[in-house]
Amino acid sequence: MSITALTPTTSPLFERISESKKEEVVRDLSALLGAKYVLHTFYDLMLYEYDASIDRCTPDIVVLPASTEDVAAIVKIAVHHNIPVVPRGAGTGLSGGAIPIYGGIVIVFTRMNRILEVDYDNLRAVVQPGLVNLYLTNALNPQGFYYVPDPSSQRSCTIGGNVGENAGGPHTLIYGVTTNHVLGLEIVTSEGEIVQVGGLAQDTPGYDLTGLLIGSEGTLCIVTKIITRIVHLPEAVKTMVAVFDTMDDASNTVSEIIATGVIPAAIEMMDQMILQAVEADSHAGYPQDAAAVLLMETEGLREGVTEQVEQIVAICDKHHARAVRIAANEAERQLFWAGRKNAFGAVGRISPEFYVQDGVVPRTRLPYVLRRVGEICTSYGLRVGNVFHAGDGNLHPLILFDSQIPGEVERVRKAGHEILAVCAEVGGTITGEHGVGIEKQEEMALIFNEVDLQVMQQVRQAWNPHQLFNPGKLFPMPGRCADVKQL
Amino acid sequence: MGEIETFESALQAFASTARVTSDADILRNYAVDGLLPLFVVTPTTTKQAAHVVALANQYGLSLLARGGGSRISVGNLPERIDVLLETNRLTHVLEHEAPDLTCHVEAGLTLAALQAKLAKKGQWLALDPADAAQSTVGGILASNASGPKRLRYGSARDLVIGLHVIQANGEVTRSGGRVVKNVAGYDLNKLYIGSLGTLGIIADANFKLHPLPIAERTLLLTFTNAGDSMQMVIALLGSLLVPSALELVDPAAASDMNDFFGVNLPTNRYTLAIDFEGATATIDRQVDETRQLARKYGVLMVDDLAGESQDHFWEAVREHTQGTVTCKVAILVSQVAIYLQIVEQVCHRHDLEAAVVAHAGNGILFVELRPSDATYRLVEAIAELRLHAKEARGSLVVERCPVDLKRRISVWGEPGSDFYLMQRLKNQFDPNGTFVKGRFVGGL
Ligand SMILES: Cc1cc2nc3c(=O)[nH]c(=O)nc-3n(C[C@H](O)[C@H](O)[C@H](O)COP(=O)(O)OP(=O)(O)OC[C@H]3O[C@@H](n4cnc5c(N)ncnc54)[C@H](O)[C@@H]3O)c2cc1C
């Protein structure tokens, strides 16, 4: 048999560890790291039981290593005691990737947060996984450079977590996502070995392990060092907000912009519900009565930007944009973006909870799919807002709910599932940047068949045969302890 | 009947429309490094192709896929080839979703044919390896071939969004999809690209496309030495300008290109070719600024190409990466100038000649070594050059060389510390060794 059999899904992969075993492991880990960097009391652990998704589960122990060697030693201790290990960045993940559904050890990288090397001649930076995404760009800005992938959570998410999820962001439309900007990794394997993959130079002979590991959600290896590209800041940036009276007009505008090949750096869409939430929160000046706005940015050489702005404005006009406003200065530009980047937070003000989906569809299908999203949510009696990377066709419907209302969570999950089914049906995918985690395990079957999934299982078998790393994720598998977070 | 005969009759029974050949005269055209396959099978559908793989797996035969054959001799010597699976009749453009800037094509289509089709809608697949007329999509992906414009557009890993792959047991599986952003499950596309058919046979691919550039212009700058030209490259890379390609041609390569392609480059200088694409206004400005910058680095002469002469020049550059003995060296850009000196010294010591063209902005050099029959001297020189590439934090792969030389070297060099993980993957994907062994890194 060339195909590894699927793991039986009946009994849990790992039992929760006993108190006495926990004491033993804490002792081993404390001897290695110092007691200060091994958290194991109820209150200390509570902070690490959730991420930005709607699930949660408490780890048994949280450790804060200071070096790659520490990480390798932690893994060896975990191997010895057969306890699962879950790497965690900032915990901003939206699919439950960092939630330890069988408990065990969570490795947190807050002490491994340095920029190790910046090489401007070769346009490379080498960083530790705990570095906050925006800090890299901030460090490079004075020299005129930056790190491109810019998740909206970039003020808090880590580069390690970005590698874990293959994160994107508004500006990945022309420049690509994390995998297009990372050239090599240092990793710790599930046996606790330290290995280098890829490198500073391009085209390392052999399989592209770097490419395989990016987006593996902590299920294949633990990343301890990351080699990234860095890029020169653009000379000119123009940011526009186009206002539409119907969602269809807005999405047709997106389709036409892409079709004509005039591809700006970012095209983000926000619908009316989001606009109202954002306006209440950050007063960015977005119209409250519009059906949708497109936030678009073009950048590059001055001449090119001017021309692109003209083309985009013309396309907006053709699709009945009520107005197109171009940011007059940097302050206004920042304000436009603040509205977008804080949109999730703003929605938090109008609803106790929300559930974000992350499906991707061919850009020409946006009008249809957005209509369906609305219909599906209405049919479940749920409110939804859309704020998303329209240029990539990457939807983020935010379904509002209140878990205190009986049955509401179930309806939210069902609506979410139906939305992803629509994405799959039009040739799209179930996740564009947030990852599968625990949240979309079942939905994997919407786009991959049994055999496709078995091949992926083979990969996990090669790297993480006993599922020591982040067990019970990515593939359909019931029998877990995680429950829905009650806020 | 032996295994082979049963395999053959099973194949004949199944594949009525696929061509199956075991005629010795024909097989000779399909030799890989002098090694003949026992059969060549040319299926017309993916289903047939998958069936052939399943049969090979069942009968314990070893199988190699072949597209147009332009890169079939990349890699070490194959151990044994029983079945050569020719993909060049899998040539459908399954979809060209022009408004979505994506397409879906079968693996046997040549790049040239694909580009012609896409061009009708003003688009292209931003890959420009040598030999587009012969190379198939599958072969390009399996060998991760690229060209000068990878500076701007990246390589296959940046453009492939989905694949169907025939696994060793004959099952056809999907990875990725048809949308431009996708993180569902492991990114297996990356694994198959460049794996030289050791993990699976690519049946079809989905790509992200780009609009054809509105305009294009190339500047040819002449410098006295490699150092100045590479200073220029580093300055350009760290500037606001966005060239699509930055190619360095050394004097020996310039002279070859003059002789074989009728271009007209100075033969005692280094030529740096800089390609700009986009709207005319941005090109004009970049050309002006490049000229100014070049003066700072002691440029001797500037020439300007457009239209046919430009196309012809880039064609010549691409073809020049395919000499009889060609090493592909990938190092840091800042090390290229020093490395060029090392090449000179090493060649001098071993009484060899080198001609180099480099994707200078990517730190990738194609070093052609001559004479190609100086086997022993080449063995030593390659070992030294490889060592220096390693010191410059990079690698050296012998992309092309005669079989006689190949017997005496490892074209990939010693595998790194991550090799055992590659081996594990190979064992998972191809436990019975159905895909030809020996060619890839570490004999995989
Ligand atoms: C308001 C908001 C906006 C967001 N916007 C975007 C956006 O625009 N684009 C986008 O892509 N995402 C976005 N996200 C999602 C999230 O921020 C990203 O997925 C981010 O990459 C997660 O980083 P983190 O450091 O928080 O990782 P975590 O959530 O802690 O972990 C994410 C995954 O990576 C793994 N991991 C972490 N560190 C390592 C390591 N060192 N080695 C191996 N695996 C590791 C974890 O196990 C987990 O599976 C947003 C989230 C929020 C809350």
mmCIF file of all heavy atoms in Angstrom, chain A residues 52 86-94 97-98 109 129 151-153 157-158 160-162 164-165 167-170 217-218 221-223 344 389 433-434 470, ligand 1:
data_model
loop_
_atom_site.group_PDB
_atom_site.id
_atom_site.type_symbol
_atom_site.label_atom_id
_atom_site.label_comp_id
_atom_site.label_asym_id
_atom_site.label_seq_id
_atom_site.Cartn_x
_atom_site.Cartn_y
_atom_site.Cartn_z
ATOM 1 N N ALA A 52 -7.969 33.883 18.108
ATOM 2 C CA ALA A 52 -9.040 34.784 17.667
ATOM 3 C C ALA A 52 -10.201 34.038 17.006
ATOM 4 O O ALA A 52 -11.089 34.650 16.443
ATOM 5 C CB ALA A 52 -8.477 35.856 16.747
ATOM 6 N N VAL A 86 2.235 22.330 20.873
ATOM 7 C CA VAL A 86 1.593 23.266 19.946
ATOM 8 C C VAL A 86 2.369 24.581 19.941
ATOM 9 O O VAL A 86 2.488 25.233 20.984
ATOM 10 C CB VAL A 86 0.117 23.520 20.333
ATOM 11 C CG1 VAL A 86 -0.516 24.519 19.379
ATOM 12 C CG2 VAL A 86 -0.664 22.226 20.347
ATOM 13 N N PRO A 87 2.930 24.974 18.772
ATOM 14 C CA PRO A 87 3.585 26.274 18.713
ATOM 15 C C PRO A 87 2.556 27.388 18.629
ATOM 16 O O PRO A 87 1.493 27.215 18.030
ATOM 17 C CB PRO A 87 4.410 26.187 17.431
ATOM 18 C CG PRO A 87 3.734 25.160 16.590
ATOM 19 C CD PRO A 87 3.004 24.236 17.508
ATOM 20 N N ARG A 88 2.873 28.516 19.230
ATOM 21 C CA ARG A 88 1.923 29.626 19.267
ATOM 22 C C ARG A 88 2.667 30.934 19.047
ATOM 23 O O ARG A 88 3.697 31.184 19.671
ATOM 24 C CB ARG A 88 1.230 29.643 20.628
ATOM 25 C CG ARG A 88 0.277 30.797 20.820
ATOM 26 C CD ARG A 88 -0.266 30.792 22.256
ATOM 27 N NE ARG A 88 -1.064 31.974 22.500
ATOM 28 C CZ ARG A 88 -2.394 31.995 22.430
ATOM 29 N NH1 ARG A 88 -3.055 30.905 22.143
ATOM 30 N NH2 ARG A 88 -3.045 33.115 22.658
ATOM 31 N N GLY A 89 2.139 31.754 18.153
ATOM 32 C CA GLY A 89 2.710 33.079 17.962
ATOM 33 C C GLY A 89 1.980 34.046 18.882
ATOM 34 O O GLY A 89 2.053 33.950 20.095
ATOM 35 N N ALA A 90 1.204 34.960 18.265
ATOM 36 C CA ALA A 90 0.488 35.931 19.075
ATOM 37 C C ALA A 90 -0.930 35.470 19.384
ATOM 38 O O ALA A 90 -1.671 36.153 20.081
ATOM 39 C CB ALA A 90 0.448 37.265 18.353
ATOM 40 N N GLY A 91 -1.317 34.343 18.812
ATOM 41 C CA GLY A 91 -2.674 33.860 19.059
ATOM 42 C C GLY A 91 -3.731 34.707 18.372
ATOM 43 O O GLY A 91 -4.864 34.780 18.836
ATOM 44 N N THR A 92 -3.399 35.325 17.252
ATOM 45 C CA THR A 92 -4.405 36.084 16.496
ATOM 46 C C THR A 92 -5.040 35.232 15.406
ATOM 47 O O THR A 92 -5.841 35.713 14.620
ATOM 48 C CB THR A 92 -3.810 37.348 15.832
ATOM 49 O OG1 THR A 92 -2.893 36.932 14.810
ATOM 50 C CG2 THR A 92 -3.099 38.228 16.841
ATOM 51 N N GLY A 93 -4.619 33.975 15.330
ATOM 52 C CA GLY A 93 -5.130 33.074 14.299
ATOM 53 C C GLY A 93 -6.637 32.963 14.368
ATOM 54 O O GLY A 93 -7.246 33.038 15.441
ATOM 55 N N LEU A 94 -7.264 32.787 13.191
ATOM 56 C CA LEU A 94 -8.722 32.788 13.124
ATOM 57 C C LEU A 94 -9.300 31.409 12.842
ATOM 58 O O LEU A 94 -10.477 31.289 12.522
ATOM 59 C CB LEU A 94 -9.174 33.787 12.049
ATOM 60 C CG LEU A 94 -9.005 35.260 12.449
ATOM 61 C CD1 LEU A 94 -9.065 36.171 11.230
ATOM 62 C CD2 LEU A 94 -10.065 35.665 13.458
ATOM 63 N N GLY A 97 -5.709 27.402 15.068
ATOM 64 C CA GLY A 97 -4.423 26.724 14.860
ATOM 65 C C GLY A 97 -3.595 26.596 16.125
ATOM 66 O O GLY A 97 -2.906 25.594 16.335
ATOM 67 N N ALA A 98 -3.634 27.604 16.989
ATOM 68 C CA ALA A 98 -2.765 27.611 18.168
ATOM 69 C C ALA A 98 -3.451 27.034 19.408
ATOM 70 O O ALA A 98 -2.910 27.096 20.502
ATOM 71 C CB ALA A 98 -2.280 29.031 18.437
ATOM 72 N N PHE A 109 6.628 32.155 21.599
ATOM 73 C CA PHE A 109 7.901 32.676 21.103
ATOM 74 C C PHE A 109 8.218 34.114 21.471
ATOM 75 O O PHE A 109 9.040 34.759 20.840
ATOM 76 C CB PHE A 109 7.954 32.491 19.580
ATOM 77 C CG PHE A 109 8.070 31.048 19.209
ATOM 78 C CD1 PHE A 109 6.950 30.297 18.921
ATOM 79 C CD2 PHE A 109 9.310 30.437 19.203
ATOM 80 C CE1 PHE A 109 7.053 28.943 18.626
ATOM 81 C CE2 PHE A 109 9.433 29.087 18.904
ATOM 82 C CZ PHE A 109 8.297 28.338 18.616
ATOM 83 N N PRO A 129 10.951 33.703 15.076
ATOM 84 C CA PRO A 129 9.513 33.566 14.827
ATOM 85 C C PRO A 129 8.631 34.469 15.682
ATOM 86 O O PRO A 129 7.523 34.816 15.272
ATOM 87 C CB PRO A 129 9.234 32.089 15.150
ATOM 88 C CG PRO A 129 10.372 31.638 15.994
ATOM 89 C CD PRO A 129 11.551 32.450 15.562
ATOM 90 N N PRO A 151 -0.728 41.322 7.056
ATOM 91 C CA PRO A 151 -2.054 40.971 7.577
ATOM 92 C C PRO A 151 -2.639 42.156 8.350
ATOM 93 O O PRO A 151 -1.884 42.948 8.930
ATOM 94 C CB PRO A 151 -1.789 39.807 8.526
ATOM 95 C CG PRO A 151 -0.373 39.425 8.391
ATOM 96 C CD PRO A 151 0.321 40.435 7.545
ATOM 97 N N SER A 152 -3.949 42.262 8.360
ATOM 98 C CA SER A 152 -4.572 43.384 9.059
ATOM 99 C C SER A 152 -4.238 43.351 10.546
ATOM 100 O O SER A 152 -4.327 44.351 11.230
ATOM 101 C CB SER A 152 -6.085 43.347 8.872
ATOM 102 O OG SER A 152 -6.372 43.372 7.490
ATOM 103 N N SER A 153 -3.825 42.189 11.017
ATOM 104 C CA SER A 153 -3.435 42.031 12.422
ATOM 105 C C SER A 153 -1.946 42.311 12.633
ATOM 106 O O SER A 153 -1.388 41.926 13.651
ATOM 107 C CB SER A 153 -3.722 40.591 12.841
ATOM 108 O OG SER A 153 -3.123 39.706 11.906
ATOM 109 N N CYS A 157 0.347 40.199 15.241
ATOM 110 C CA CYS A 157 0.690 38.835 14.835
ATOM 111 C C CYS A 157 2.195 38.719 14.599
ATOM 112 O O CYS A 157 2.883 39.691 14.345
ATOM 113 C CB CYS A 157 -0.101 38.420 13.598
ATOM 114 S SG CYS A 157 0.352 39.258 12.092
ATOM 115 N N THR A 158 2.689 37.477 14.708
ATOM 116 C CA THR A 158 4.130 37.260 14.586
ATOM 117 C C THR A 158 4.476 36.676 13.219
ATOM 118 O O THR A 158 3.621 36.082 12.548
ATOM 119 C CB THR A 158 4.602 36.254 15.649
ATOM 120 O OG1 THR A 158 3.980 34.980 15.390
ATOM 121 C CG2 THR A 158 4.243 36.709 17.062
ATOM 122 N N GLY A 160 6.380 34.159 12.788
ATOM 123 C CA GLY A 160 6.242 32.708 12.941
ATOM 124 C C GLY A 160 4.818 32.255 12.673
ATOM 125 O O GLY A 160 4.584 31.275 11.967
ATOM 126 N N GLY A 161 3.863 33.002 13.221
ATOM 127 C CA GLY A 161 2.456 32.688 12.980
ATOM 128 C C GLY A 161 2.086 32.915 11.518
ATOM 129 O O GLY A 161 1.285 32.174 10.946
ATOM 130 N N ASN A 162 2.687 33.921 10.893
ATOM 131 C CA ASN A 162 2.446 34.175 9.464
ATOM 132 C C ASN A 162 2.935 33.006 8.628
ATOM 133 O O ASN A 162 2.279 32.592 7.668
ATOM 134 C CB ASN A 162 3.182 35.433 8.980
ATOM 135 C CG ASN A 162 2.699 36.719 9.633
ATOM 136 O OD1 ASN A 162 3.368 37.742 9.572
ATOM 137 N ND2 ASN A 162 1.530 36.678 10.271
ATOM 138 N N GLY A 164 3.257 30.005 9.803
ATOM 139 C CA GLY A 164 2.352 28.914 10.164
ATOM 140 C C GLY A 164 1.109 28.888 9.294
ATOM 141 O O GLY A 164 0.660 27.836 8.861
ATOM 142 N N GLU A 165 0.557 30.069 9.010
ATOM 143 C CA GLU A 165 -0.695 30.133 8.245
ATOM 144 C C GLU A 165 -0.508 30.511 6.779
ATOM 145 O O GLU A 165 -1.473 30.566 6.039
ATOM 146 C CB GLU A 165 -1.647 31.172 8.882
ATOM 147 C CG GLU A 165 -1.977 30.934 10.353
ATOM 148 C CD GLU A 165 -2.903 29.748 10.561
ATOM 149 O OE1 GLU A 165 -3.146 28.996 9.611
ATOM 150 O OE2 GLU A 165 -3.378 29.584 11.702
ATOM 151 N N ALA A 167 0.208 33.590 5.814
ATOM 152 C CA ALA A 167 -0.663 34.757 5.902
ATOM 153 C C ALA A 167 -0.570 35.651 4.668
ATOM 154 O O ALA A 167 0.471 35.746 4.019
ATOM 155 C CB ALA A 167 -0.298 35.565 7.146
ATOM 156 N N GLY A 168 -1.672 36.291 4.389
ATOM 157 C CA GLY A 168 -1.731 37.290 3.331
ATOM 158 C C GLY A 168 -2.001 38.639 3.962
ATOM 159 O O GLY A 168 -1.610 38.893 5.102
ATOM 160 N N GLY A 169 -2.693 39.498 3.214
ATOM 161 C CA GLY A 169 -3.006 40.822 3.721
ATOM 162 C C GLY A 169 -3.469 41.663 2.555
ATOM 163 O O GLY A 169 -3.437 41.212 1.414
ATOM 164 N N PRO A 170 -3.900 42.889 2.822
ATOM 165 C CA PRO A 170 -4.391 43.742 1.742
ATOM 166 C C PRO A 170 -3.389 43.898 0.593
ATOM 167 O O PRO A 170 -3.768 43.920 -0.568
ATOM 168 C CB PRO A 170 -4.627 45.076 2.443
ATOM 169 C CG PRO A 170 -4.888 44.714 3.868
ATOM 170 C CD PRO A 170 -4.068 43.493 4.142
ATOM 171 N N GLU A 217 0.696 25.093 9.466
ATOM 172 C CA GLU A 217 -0.086 25.310 10.689
ATOM 173 C C GLU A 217 0.468 24.574 11.904
ATOM 174 O O GLU A 217 -0.287 24.059 12.727
ATOM 175 C CB GLU A 217 -1.551 24.906 10.434
ATOM 176 C CG GLU A 217 -2.167 25.633 9.244
ATOM 177 C CD GLU A 217 -3.681 25.422 9.135
ATOM 178 O OE1 GLU A 217 -4.290 25.002 10.124
ATOM 179 O OE2 GLU A 217 -4.238 25.702 8.057
ATOM 180 N N GLY A 218 1.770 24.531 12.006
ATOM 181 C CA GLY A 218 2.376 23.911 13.189
ATOM 182 C C GLY A 218 2.209 22.405 13.247
ATOM 183 O O GLY A 218 2.456 21.803 14.291
ATOM 184 N N CYS A 221 6.334 20.944 11.677
ATOM 185 C CA CYS A 221 7.610 21.311 12.289
ATOM 186 C C CYS A 221 7.394 22.569 13.122
ATOM 187 O O CYS A 221 6.347 23.197 13.036
ATOM 188 C CB CYS A 221 8.647 21.617 11.196
ATOM 189 S SG CYS A 221 8.306 23.140 10.331
ATOM 190 N N ILE A 222 8.411 22.911 13.910
ATOM 191 C CA ILE A 222 8.370 24.191 14.616
ATOM 192 C C ILE A 222 9.431 25.081 13.982
ATOM 193 O O ILE A 222 10.583 24.671 13.809
ATOM 194 C CB ILE A 222 8.623 23.984 16.110
ATOM 195 C CG1 ILE A 222 7.441 23.192 16.673
ATOM 196 C CG2 ILE A 222 8.776 25.322 16.837
ATOM 197 C CD1 ILE A 222 7.552 22.844 18.109
ATOM 198 N N VAL A 223 9.018 26.258 13.603
ATOM 199 C CA VAL A 223 9.921 27.168 12.912
ATOM 200 C C VAL A 223 10.666 28.012 13.943
ATOM 201 O O VAL A 223 10.050 28.614 14.822
ATOM 202 C CB VAL A 223 9.118 28.072 11.965
ATOM 203 C CG1 VAL A 223 10.015 29.101 11.303
ATOM 204 C CG2 VAL A 223 8.407 27.234 10.919
ATOM 205 N N PHE A 344 -12.488 44.536 12.150
ATOM 206 C CA PHE A 344 -12.923 43.417 12.996
ATOM 207 C C PHE A 344 -13.217 43.925 14.415
ATOM 208 O O PHE A 344 -14.225 43.572 15.012
ATOM 209 C CB PHE A 344 -11.862 42.301 13.055
ATOM 210 C CG PHE A 344 -11.744 41.477 11.811
ATOM 211 C CD1 PHE A 344 -12.320 41.875 10.616
ATOM 212 C CD2 PHE A 344 -11.040 40.277 11.831
ATOM 213 C CE1 PHE A 344 -12.199 41.119 9.459
ATOM 214 C CE2 PHE A 344 -10.906 39.501 10.681
ATOM 215 C CZ PHE A 344 -11.487 39.924 9.501
ATOM 216 N N HIS A 389 -10.552 41.042 1.091
ATOM 217 C CA HIS A 389 -9.548 41.267 0.059
ATOM 218 C C HIS A 389 -10.176 40.977 -1.307
ATOM 219 O O HIS A 389 -9.988 39.902 -1.885
ATOM 220 C CB HIS A 389 -8.340 40.376 0.304
ATOM 221 C CG HIS A 389 -7.861 40.389 1.735
ATOM 222 N ND1 HIS A 389 -7.554 41.559 2.394
ATOM 223 C CD2 HIS A 389 -7.649 39.398 2.627
ATOM 224 C CE1 HIS A 389 -7.162 41.272 3.634
ATOM 225 N NE2 HIS A 389 -7.212 39.964 3.793
ATOM 226 N N GLU A 433 -6.361 32.478 3.625
ATOM 227 C CA GLU A 433 -5.229 32.927 4.431
ATOM 228 C C GLU A 433 -5.335 32.574 5.909
ATOM 229 O O GLU A 433 -4.336 32.624 6.617
ATOM 230 C CB GLU A 433 -5.029 34.441 4.272
ATOM 231 C CG GLU A 433 -6.300 35.261 4.551
ATOM 232 C CD GLU A 433 -6.099 36.766 4.416
ATOM 233 O OE1 GLU A 433 -5.236 37.177 3.653
ATOM 234 O OE2 GLU A 433 -6.828 37.502 5.092
ATOM 235 N N HIS A 434 -6.490 32.221 6.383
ATOM 236 C CA HIS A 434 -6.614 31.984 7.821
ATOM 237 C C HIS A 434 -6.292 30.555 8.226
ATOM 238 O O HIS A 434 -6.087 30.275 9.401
ATOM 239 C CB HIS A 434 -8.028 32.337 8.315
ATOM 240 C CG HIS A 434 -8.337 33.793 8.158
ATOM 241 N ND1 HIS A 434 -9.610 34.295 8.279
ATOM 242 C CD2 HIS A 434 -7.543 34.849 7.887
ATOM 243 C CE1 HIS A 434 -9.588 35.615 8.072
ATOM 244 N NE2 HIS A 434 -8.343 35.967 7.831
ATOM 245 N N ASN A 470 0.950 19.694 17.178
ATOM 246 C CA ASN A 470 -0.401 20.177 16.864
ATOM 247 C C ASN A 470 -1.367 19.095 16.403
ATOM 248 O O ASN A 470 -1.914 19.159 15.297
ATOM 249 C CB ASN A 470 -0.303 21.302 15.822
ATOM 250 C CG ASN A 470 -1.348 22.376 16.070
ATOM 251 O OD1 ASN A 470 -2.216 22.226 16.928
ATOM 252 N ND2 ASN A 470 -1.276 23.458 15.322
HETATM 253 C C1 LIG C 1 -8.239 41.485 13.420
HETATM 254 C C2 LIG C 1 -7.554 40.416 12.660
HETATM 255 C C3 LIG C 1 -7.205 40.645 11.340
HETATM 256 C C4 LIG C 1 -6.550 39.674 10.611
HETATM 257 N N1 LIG C 1 -6.181 39.927 9.311
HETATM 258 C C5 LIG C 1 -5.530 38.995 8.614
HETATM 259 C C6 LIG C 1 -5.121 39.259 7.269
HETATM 260 O O1 LIG C 1 -5.350 40.324 6.711
HETATM 261 N N2 LIG C 1 -4.466 38.275 6.597
HETATM 262 C C7 LIG C 1 -4.185 37.073 7.201
HETATM 263 O O2 LIG C 1 -3.575 36.235 6.547
HETATM 264 N N3 LIG C 1 -4.551 36.813 8.458
HETATM 265 C C8 LIG C 1 -5.211 37.724 9.190
HETATM 266 N N4 LIG C 1 -5.587 37.448 10.470
HETATM 267 C C9 LIG C 1 -5.291 36.130 11.047
HETATM 268 C C10 LIG C 1 -3.987 36.018 11.839
HETATM 269 O O3 LIG C 1 -3.575 37.261 12.310
HETATM 270 C C11 LIG C 1 -2.884 35.393 10.994
HETATM 271 O O4 LIG C 1 -3.228 34.061 10.705
HETATM 272 C C12 LIG C 1 -1.500 35.411 11.619
HETATM 273 O O5 LIG C 1 -0.574 34.879 10.698
HETATM 274 C C13 LIG C 1 -1.417 34.621 12.908
HETATM 275 O O6 LIG C 1 -0.207 34.966 13.584
HETATM 276 P P1 LIG C 1 -0.015 34.689 15.133
HETATM 277 O O7 LIG C 1 1.354 35.099 15.476
HETATM 278 O O8 LIG C 1 -1.109 35.297 15.890
HETATM 279 O O9 LIG C 1 -0.091 33.095 15.138
HETATM 280 P P2 LIG C 1 -0.986 32.134 16.032
HETATM 281 O O10 LIG C 1 -2.413 32.430 15.878
HETATM 282 O O11 LIG C 1 -0.429 32.089 17.389
HETATM 283 O O12 LIG C 1 -0.665 30.765 15.295
HETATM 284 C C14 LIG C 1 -1.090 30.521 13.987
HETATM 285 C C15 LIG C 1 -0.639 29.128 13.536
HETATM 286 O O13 LIG C 1 0.760 29.127 13.327
HETATM 287 C C16 LIG C 1 1.371 28.140 14.118
HETATM 288 N N5 LIG C 1 2.633 28.680 14.570
HETATM 289 C C17 LIG C 1 2.876 29.796 15.293
HETATM 290 N N6 LIG C 1 4.174 29.956 15.498
HETATM 291 C C18 LIG C 1 4.809 28.935 14.895
HETATM 292 C C19 LIG C 1 6.164 28.530 14.771
HETATM 293 N N7 LIG C 1 7.150 29.218 15.304
HETATM 294 N N8 LIG C 1 6.436 27.390 14.086
HETATM 295 C C20 LIG C 1 5.445 26.666 13.535
HETATM 296 N N9 LIG C 1 4.161 27.002 13.611
HETATM 297 C C21 LIG C 1 3.835 28.119 14.287
HETATM 298 C C22 LIG C 1 0.386 27.851 15.231
HETATM 299 O O14 LIG C 1 0.541 26.559 15.744
HETATM 300 C C23 LIG C 1 -0.919 28.042 14.527
HETATM 301 O O15 LIG C 1 -1.283 26.875 13.859
HETATM 302 C C24 LIG C 1 -6.248 38.424 11.224
HETATM 303 C C25 LIG C 1 -6.601 38.198 12.566
HETATM 304 C C26 LIG C 1 -7.248 39.165 13.258
HETATM 305 C C27 LIG C 1 -7.588 38.879 14.696
#
